[in-house]
Amino acid sequence: DGGITQSPKYLFRKEGQNVTLSCEQNLNHDAMYWYRQDPGQGLRLIYYSQIVNDFQKGDIAEGYSVSREKKESFPLTVTSAQKNPTAFYLCASFSGQNYGYTFGSGTRLTVV
Amino acid sequence: DAKTTQPPSMDCAEGRAANLPCNHSTISGNEYVYWYRQIHSQGPQYIIHGLKNNETNEMASLIITEDRKSSTLILPHATLRDTAVYYCIVRDDPYGNKLVFGAGTILRVKS
């Protein structure tokens, strides 16, 4: 079945470490997105990519980095510059048609 | 910032219709209204979308007012599994496809 796979589901990071969250899709979608969700709040856009080798900052890009070397993959790196990284991270893709976006099941990152 | 306004929470009795309102008074002519829901600790799930006409699918119905400034998502026979946060979203970027999420409505279906 087509979909988005995020891994790992839970991730623990020590302060000062960089960590990379994986997002892979087999939907042949051009556009991919990373959102952050804090408890009791909506989703905030971190980065998005509309095509391979191109990406744009969202509303809260500071302390994060991404790459888009392949259509299927859009990994997110949470750097040590992100002061409050503990959150639920969601990856999504969009086909470019007027259909729904597809979300992954999320990665819950905790700084210990 | 999100361009939609939703009530923070609603309750609904199991088996009854759940009507979730959304105001989007600044919507432009080519913007679609999308509805998603998020069950705790999962990714949001697409429900339905529309431009100006009412829409229905196997999950829900979407009623959009004639002036397009508001809409209502209808779950015709709510079940306990419909308890979730429901997001009403308009497409933010007409040349791209970013989605801007607000806080949504917490729907609690009670037996």
Side-chain angles (χ1 to χ4, degrees), chain A residues 24-76:
Chain A
E24 302 281 333
Q25 55 104 352
N26 60 3
L27 299 165
N28 200 34
H29 286 176
D30 288 315
M32 297 185 73
Y33 310 82
W34 275 105
Y35 288 89
R36 168 182 171 139
Q37 187 173 35
D38 293 287
Q41 299 187 27
L43 284 67
R44 292 184 291 167
L45 183 64
I46 305 172
Y47 267 99
Y48 64 104
S49 167
Q50 295 179 306
I51 196 169
V52 174
N53 292 323
D54 186 48
F55 48 84
Q56 288 80 41
K57 293 181 179 180
D59 300 318
I60 56 165
E62 185 175 353
Y64 300 97
S65 66
V66 294
S67 62
R68 187 84 187 277
E69 298 177 0
K70 299 186 300 181
K71 189 175 187 178
E72 301 79 17
S73 179
F74 191 41
L76 173 75

Side-chain angles (χ1 to χ4, degrees), chain A residues 89-107:
Chain A
Y89 290 88
L90 286 157
C91 179
S93 70
F94 179 66
S95 68
Q97 305 296 320
N98 290 321
Y99 301 114
Y101 291 59
T102 302
F103 281 84
S105 56
T107 292

Side-chain angles (χ1 to χ4, degrees), chain B:
Chain B
D1 292 336
K3 298 188 291 183
T4 62
T5 303
Q6 298 177 252
S9 65
M10 294 182 63
D11 291 338
C12 178
E14 188 178 20
R16 304 296 294 269
N19 298 300
L20 291 89
C22 179
N23 287 320
H24 31 79
S25 58
T26 61
I27 193 170
S28 64
N30 62 344
E31 286 186 309
Y32 283 73
V33 179
Y34 289 83
W35 281 85
Y36 286 77
R37 73 179 183 185
Q38 185 177 24
I39 296 170
H40 182 63
S41 295
Q42 296 182 22
Q45 174 192 25
Y46 165 81
I47 301 173
I48 199 167
H49 75 280
L51 182 63
K52 60 175 91 172
N53 297 321
N54 297 338
E55 303 287 346
T56 296
N57 63 21
E58 64 278 5
M59 291 183 67
S61 294
L62 175 60
I63 308 299
I64 302 175
T65 58
E66 192 169 344
D67 63 8
R68 302 189 69 239
K69 293 185 177 181
S70 65
S71 60
T72 300
L73 178 74
I74 301 172
L75 307 178
H77 305 286
T79 71
L80 297 178
R81 287 183 294 181
D82 292 321
T83 294
V85 179
Y86 287 77
Y87 297 101
C88 169
I89 302 159
V90 298
R91 187 189 294 181
D92 182 62
D93 179 357
Y95 300 106
N97 34 52
K98 292 187 296 181
L99 284 183
V100 177
F101 287 79
T105 295
I106 299 172
L107 175 68
R108 301 184 186 90
V109 180
K110 300 182 176 181
S111 59

